[in-house]
Amino acid sequence: MDLSFTDEELAFQAEVRDFLEKNLPADVKDRYERGLHFTKEGQVRWQRILNEKGWLAPGWPVEYGGTGWTATQKYIFSQELGRASAPPPIPFGINMVGPVIYTFGNQEQKDLYLPRILNSDDWWCQGYSEPGSGSDLASLQTKAVRDGDDYIVNGQKIWTSHAQHADMIFCLVRTDSNVKQQEGISFLLIDMKTPGITLKPIIGLDTEHTLNEVFFDDVRVPVKNRIGEENKGWTYAKFLLGNERTSIARISQSKLKVKKLRDIAASQRVSGGLLQDDADFMRKLNQIDVDLMALEYTELRMLSRIQKGEPLTAEPSMLKIKGSDIQQALTELSVEALGLYGAAYESQEIREGRNDQNFAPDYANGPMAEHLYLRAASIYGGSNEIQRNIISKMVLGL
Amino acid sequence: MDFELSEEQVLLKDSVDRFVQDNYSPDDRLKLSQTELGFSRDHWKTMAELGWLGMAFPEEVGGFGGGAVETMIMMESMGRGLVLEPFVSTVLLGGALIAEAGSEEQIESIIPSVIEGQTMLAFAYAEPQSRFNLNDVETTASKSGDGYVLNGTKSVVYHGGTADKIVISARTSGESRDADGISLFVVDREAAGMDVRAYRTVDGQRAADIRLENVSVGADALLGAEGAAAPVIEKITDRAIGALCAEAVGAMAAANDITNEYLKTRKQFGIPIGKFQVLQHRMVDMYMEAEQSKSMSDMAAMKLDLGYENDTKRAVSAAKSQIGKACKFVGQQSVQLHGGMGMTDEYSIGHYFKRLSTIEMLFGNTDYHLNRFSALS
Ligand SMILES: Cc1cc2nc3c(=O)[nH]c(=O)nc-3n(C[C@H](O)[C@H](O)[C@H](O)COP(=O)(O)OP(=O)(O)OC[C@H]3O[C@@H](n4cnc5c(N)ncnc54)[C@H](O)[C@@H]3O)c2cc1C
Ligand SMILES: Cc1cc2nc3c(=O)[nH]c(=O)nc-3n(C[C@H](O)[C@H](O)[C@H](O)COP(=O)(O)OP(=O)(O)OC[C@H]3O[C@@H](n4cnc5c(N)ncnc54)[C@H](O)[C@@H]3O)c2cc1C
């Protein structure tokens, strides 16, 4: 057992820190720090900077453009991203469909899509959920019927994050209705410009547009866009969900937020003192910090097991539950830091169009936006209730 | 001891319930909250005609002499529909301050017009640095000739952008945060030097920040004795807190009904999700929080009607802190149990969540009131 970094690891840390200091665009950082939703242009610009350095997809195998870093290096890298207030890459390409493609896709698919993901040429979105199929994902109804070299897809997806920006969507579709639900699903890659696809925005609690409904009306998708075998899509889908859950814990981002809240507490004037004189507030902040440490060291223990080649089962579900709890506690506390100004929330669009800003601190809008949006952290990626079901079944044998 | 409503109180409750039923479907409410004004002047007129705007005022000033219990009844029903009209700002804050501290002339010139629905009011007490401390007043009112000149900044003044007159707390003497030396002034929103910046709030209402730059007012703008407003402010805000607690009780009841119904109808894995025991227990916990809140709100209202002693303040803080916790739990869990549906602006449950979260922080959050409770004990 040993917690310390080697000299090489420390040198690596310094290199990453230096790179981020010099290359993270100020506007991208600023939006992220204030808790505002990214702009597509800013996000793509930043991802391309990372990719040029070869650091966009540290988790990928080297042959496909990964880094070959050790687990410790990957950990250091993600910590440094958080520390520098660098937004993480949009997960749909890098963390979700990319690994599915290089693990289960054919050579042609790898050659076509992987470089485009790395260069952020394709913005991907995730077409899993449907109106009747959320937690019970395997009950999905969107149909794909074979017609020569194409599938004809009909149905509807919902809660599709950022579909309005997307060039491609990866979809679970039903290709056989006469077998056990899980055995009749296929995994398709669909160009969003294909005729027959329409989008309808869903406005969220934060009054922003990140979610969408996606409708498929006789959409022709070439069979060559199917990943792996027909009717084996559930296997690939589950592989993807496992990856999603691990990355959803967002530990380094939460650490950044703790630090930010400490800064705010040390500078915000409240009734004759500073916010940091408020014992209740500080106790809550410190409690979150301790919870975060427990989560971080749990993740490190898991990483160490992976490094030794031991497989995990449902442990990522634990990271997801605890990570989302912490994100929500942090955004709640960030709102609390604002006192009454927590109520003064307007959508970005309205706010940016105003020339008579209110007198709240300049970080005032972000915390409420995040607080509202992150209520979803315990819902998306498989709700926390479902994660608990998974742990109780797979780990505890109940 | 009696927790039951009298016949007249039942009639009052029925009439507010009917108003909410007729005018406050989730769709109606969403549309209304998105208008420029953020509420309906027609509804306001109706509320005046039904006599509600006078309910909380004593008979001596032309009101109907209802007490905290009547207010509680109205607010609970309005909470069920998340009513947007500025009842709290105009009647329970601005109006109550004038009725409590105002001179005969001030009362006569303003209160009847409030009761008739002509004049709308707001109360500007908070400042950027004040957090929840009502005595933290840096805005100054300096004597100038017969009158005063006001300077300072007021934050998050609910309905400050639409009120005709705004009651403003300002310091006429003493150090910032002294209880002594705080005075109240009734100022026209459009008075010279009033820089009123209105905006939307997260709970679908409207508020404003106000910068006062050499706002000159006459001596007749002073409400009550100079420098002696702190106890008045505390008393009136405590009553408003009682009312907000009742609003929260109504909103929680509605949120629970909506969620309970959802658990019965939404199917996953081939059965209604309400069949999953973890969700049943969660729903039971939400129900218990709402029931406890109702008890605390009733208790606070009855104590407020008995007088205004130390014990009353304790009761108000106890209710606010218990209800604050309940607001968060019920609001957040309602969203959670709706899954993705709960995250949409179009569906009503999220609006209950937002209003409940705001109530938790208005006039002091849960921690603040637990501390106040402990200091008063
Ligand atoms: C902000 C946001 C972004 C999203 N992004 C995407 C995306 O990009 N692509 C995509 O495909 N999907 C996305 N989703 C969808 C998300 O994965 C689903 O919302 C989630 O799986 C829950 O499904 P549901 O909304 O249908 O809720 P339901 O499944 O109806 O669940 C409702 C409630 O019941 C509970 N519940 C359900 N079943 C059980 C059970 N067996 N035991 C105990 N409790 C249970 C749930 O935990 C929840 O509390 C997103 C959702 C949100 C909110
Ligand atoms: C100090 C003490 C004094 C007692 N005195 C008396 C007495 O005077 N006379 C007498 O007759 N009995 C007495 N009891 C017994 C008591 O009533 C039982 O212990 C109680 O009913 C629980 O039964 P059990 O111990 O068999 O636990 P179990 O029924 O085996 O329960 C074990 C756990 O499972 C949970 N559980 C069980 N079923 C469900 C379900 N459907 N859903 C969710 N959770 C469930 C329980 O809540 C509990 O947490 C006493 C017990 C104690 C501890």
Side-chain angles (χ1 to χ4, degrees):
Chain A
M1 287 193 144
D2 183 8
L3 263 183
S4 53
F5 290 148
T6 63
D7 286 347
E8 291 81 43
E9 284 161 352
L10 288 173
F12 172 74
Q13 183 182 47
E15 184 194 353
V16 174
R17 199 168 285 187
D18 180 61
F19 175 81
L20 292 175
E21 216 159 88
K22 294 192 174 119
N23 293 286
L24 173 61
D27 60 321
V28 172
K29 174 177 165 145
D30 179 60
R31 277 194 96 80
Y32 186 66
E33 280 198 324
R34 288 196 287 144
L36 303 176
H37 288 294
F38 57 75
T39 65
K40 181 176 178 181
E41 180 282 321
Q43 188 67 26
V44 167
R45 180 157 38 96
W46 166 229
Q47 291 186 187
R48 286 189 173 149
I49 292 170
L50 276 176
N51 185 45
E52 221 161 277
K53 180 77 180 166
W55 285 357
L56 184 64
W60 289 19
V62 179
E63 51 180 317
Y64 301 120
T67 53
W69 288 341
T70 62
T72 309
Q73 279 179 303
K74 288 178 204 160
Y75 166 74
I76 290 173
F77 182 69
S78 86
Q79 292 304 302
E80 290 305 315
L81 283 183
R83 190 176 175 278
S85 306
I90 297 300
F92 301 108
I94 303 288
N95 297 344
M96 295 180 167
V97 77
V100 168
I101 292 172
Y102 65 65
T103 310
F104 303 105
N106 59 34
Q107 197 56 45
E108 198 188 332
Q109 290 165 339
K110 293 181 198 176
D111 292 344
L112 175 62
Y113 295 116
L114 296 179
R116 293 183 60 82
I117 291 175
L118 288 177
N119 196 41
S120 304
D121 292 331
D122 291 330
W123 181 293
W124 286 82
C125 64
Q126 178 182 30
Y128 272 26
S129 306
E130 298 183 7
S133 307
S135 298
D136 183 14
L137 186 56
S139 69
L140 60 94
Q141 298 292 328
T142 296
K143 264 202 175 54
V145 178
R146 194 69 187 257
D147 180 41
D149 288 339
D150 292 339
Y151 286 108
I152 298 175
V153 179
N154 277 290
Q156 183 196 345
K157 296 292 174 181
I158 195 171
W159 316 124
T160 321
S161 298
H162 308 303
Q164 74 271 32
H165 299 314
D167 306 294
M168 295 290 296
I169 182 169
F170 55 91
C171 268
L172 296 179
V173 294
R174 185 156 303 285
T175 34
D176 189 345
S177 309
N178 300 315
V179 289
K180 212 177 133 226
Q181 280 182 346
Q182 283 82 348
E183 286 157 15
I185 293 169
S186 298
F187 194 113
L188 293 185
L189 313 178
I190 305 178
D191 187 330
M192 290 294 281
K193 285 186 291 295
T194 320
I197 298 182
T198 46
L199 293 190
K200 194 172 154 228
I202 301 174
I203 303 303
L205 284 185
D206 52 3
T207 59
E208 304 286 348
H209 172 202
T210 59
L211 294 170
N212 301 273
E213 293 178 271
V214 184
F215 299 89
F216 297 86
D217 185 14
D218 287 334
V219 175
R220 281 194 170 267
V221 181
V223 171
K224 68 176 169 54
N225 283 24
R226 190 188 68 222
I227 291 284
E229 291 177 51
E230 188 169 89
N231 296 330
K232 288 280 183 295
W234 191 245
T235 312
Y236 320 136
K238 279 198 306 187
F239 166 86
L240 182 150
L241 287 174
N243 285 343
E244 180 180 0
R245 274 163 208 158
T246 322
S247 63
I248 238 165
R250 293 179 151 245
I251 294 172
S252 64
Q253 286 99 310
S254 288
K255 278 170 110 173
L256 169 71
K257 199 147 292 154
V258 167
K259 183 178 166 293
K260 224 175 85 182
L261 265 178
R262 288 198 186 284
D263 291 346
I264 287 170
S267 61
Q268 186 159 304
R269 204 160 73 94
V270 298
S271 200
L274 295 170
L275 186 55
Q276 68 183 11
D277 307 325
D278 182 333
D280 294 315
F281 184 88
M282 292 312 287
R283 193 174 178 288
K284 283 189 249 186
L285 181 52
N286 287 316
Q287 180 66 61
I288 295 173
D289 211 351
V290 171
D291 290 344
L292 190 52
M293 222 184 256
L295 178 62
E296 181 176 19
Y297 282 92
T298 304
E299 189 192 34
L300 289 174
R301 268 175 64 220
M302 286 183 201
L303 278 178
S304 152
R305 277 175 54 190
I306 294 173
Q307 224 163 341
K308 295 249 150 50
E310 287 175 39
L312 301 179
T313 55
E315 289 86 346
S317 294
M318 176 156 75
L319 301 183
K320 200 260 158 173
I321 294 170
K322 291 295 175 187
S324 55
D325 282 352
I326 287 172
Q327 290 168 56
Q328 292 179 338
L330 271 169
T331 56
E332 230 178 294
L333 199 61
S334 306
V335 170
E336 191 180 320
L338 289 168
L340 266 188
Y341 269 116
Y345 172 77
E346 300 175 297
S347 71
Q348 282 175 49
E349 198 189 356
I350 291 180
R351 195 168 167 96
E352 283 166 4
R354 294 171 67 97
N355 52 14
D356 59 340
Q357 297 288 326
N358 55 44
F359 305 124
D362 63 356
Y363 62 86
N365 219 36
M368 181 53 85
E370 280 202 314
H371 170 59
L372 296 172
Y373 181 71
L374 282 177
R375 292 319 306 172
S378 48
I379 296 170
Y380 57 48
S383 74
N384 285 9
E385 286 80 9
I386 296 294
Q387 304 309 319
R388 286 187 168 89
N389 289 349
I390 292 173
I391 295 173
S392 88
K393 205 187 286 168
M394 291 178 65
V395 182
L396 305 175
L398 292 172
Chain B
M1 187 194 55
D2 183 5
F3 279 76
E4 302 308 312
L5 301 184
S6 72
E7 240 167 82
E8 288 102 58
Q9 289 168 339
V10 170
L11 287 177
L12 175 62
K13 177 176 155 42
D14 287 348
S15 100
V16 187
D17 281 346
R18 207 168 322 116
F19 168 83
V20 168
Q21 217 156 36
D22 292 348
N23 299 294
Y24 267 92
S25 75
D27 258 6
D28 292 339
R29 198 249 179 200
L30 186 59
K31 281 200 197 104
L32 200 49
S33 79
Q34 286 166 347
T35 59
E36 187 66 32
L37 186 64
F39 61 88
S40 153
R41 292 206 188 269
D42 284 344
H43 289 350
W44 192 248
K45 225 175 95 199
T46 307
M47 293 167 95
E49 282 162 10
L50 291 166
W52 301 346
L53 304 186
M55 193 62 62
F57 291 115
E59 279 157 17
E60 309 90 83
V61 307
F64 298 101
V69 170
E70 279 69 25
T71 303
M72 180 267 284
I73 292 167
M74 286 194 284
M75 289 300 293
E76 205 175 299
S77 296
M78 290 195 223
R80 277 194 159 262
L82 299 179
V83 166
L84 293 161
E85 280 66 36
F87 183 73
V88 175
S89 298
T90 297
V91 176
L92 301 181
L93 290 170
L97 286 165
I98 293 168
E100 180 78 16
S103 66
E104 224 165 277
E105 270 167 277
Q106 285 166 326
I107 290 173
E108 268 169 24
S109 73
I110 302 173
I111 299 300
S113 146
V114 167
I115 294 174
E116 282 162 26
Q118 303 294 326
T119 299
M120 294 200 185
L121 304 173
F123 179 32
Y125 62 96
E127 301 187 359
Q129 83 294 339
S130 67
R131 205 162 173 81
F132 307 125
N133 182 353
L134 297 168
N135 293 340
D136 189 335
V137 176
E138 291 183 357
T139 295
T140 55
S142 338
K143 264 243 155 23
S144 160
D146 266 357
Y148 299 84
V149 176
L150 276 59
N151 278 291
T153 301
K154 292 288 172 181
S155 6
V156 200
V157 182
Y158 267 75
H159 303 105
T162 43
D164 303 291
K165 291 174 190 295
I166 301 174
V167 179
I168 297 173
S169 64
R171 187 163 287 290
T172 35
S173 65
E175 300 292 320
S176 136
R177 296 189 308 287
D178 285 352
D180 283 343
I182 300 170
S183 303
L184 289 171
F185 298 88
V186 186
V187 183
D188 280 353
R189 175 172 51 96
E190 300 197 325
M194 293 276 284
D195 175 12
V196 179
R197 305 180 183 187
Y199 47 81
R200 285 155 208 260
T201 53
V202 66
D203 48 10
Q205 305 203 20
R206 298 290 182 281
D209 286 354
I210 302 177
R211 180 163 288 159
L212 299 128
E213 281 170 42
N214 296 319
V215 177
S216 287
V217 296
D220 58 351
L222 178 70
L223 206 57
E226 187 183 292
V232 181
I233 294 174
E234 191 184 15
K235 179 173 173 185
I236 297 305
T237 49
D238 270 344
R239 288 211 199 135
I241 290 169
L244 283 182
C245 285
E247 183 188 350
V249 167
M252 276 187 249
N256 279 348
D257 286 351
I258 295 168
T259 307
N260 204 2
E261 193 53 35
Y262 195 75
L263 293 183
K264 287 182 190 164
T265 46
R266 170 69 173 170
K267 283 190 177 159
Q268 290 286 278
F269 304 98
I271 52 170
I273 56 175
K275 292 284 172 217
F276 299 119
Q277 195 176 51
V278 63
L279 303 193
Q280 291 170 351
H281 287 192
R282 192 86 50 82
M283 194 67 237
V284 170
D285 288 342
M286 290 156 69
Y287 164 78
M288 294 193 295
E289 285 295 337
E291 282 298 308
Q292 302 256 62
S293 298
K294 169 74 177 145
S295 313
M296 288 300 255
S297 163
D298 285 5
M299 177 276 296
M302 289 188 281
K303 292 217 171 186
L304 279 163
D305 274 345
L306 286 178
Y308 191 63
E309 315 289 333
N310 194 57
D311 183 51
T312 320
K313 300 182 191 180
R314 275 180 84 232
V316 166
S317 277
K320 184 68 165 54
S321 76
Q322 188 277 331
I323 287 172
K325 259 199 323 201
C327 280
K328 281 200 169 180
F329 183 73
V330 170
Q332 293 175 357
Q333 291 307 323
S334 299
V335 169
Q336 178 70 20
L337 297 193
H338 276 83
M341 273 320 260
M343 289 300 300
T344 66
D345 199 50
E346 207 178 327
Y347 195 73
S348 66
I349 200 68
H351 297 278
Y352 286 94
F353 158 62
K354 290 196 249 187
R355 180 62 186 156
L356 287 169
S357 311
T358 317
I359 291 177
E360 192 271 340
M361 99 185 128
L362 286 177
F363 296 113
N365 64 8
T366 302
D367 282 345
Y368 175 84
H369 279 286
L370 201 53
N371 286 331
R372 183 171 179 248
F373 176 81
S374 140
L376 291 165
S377 296

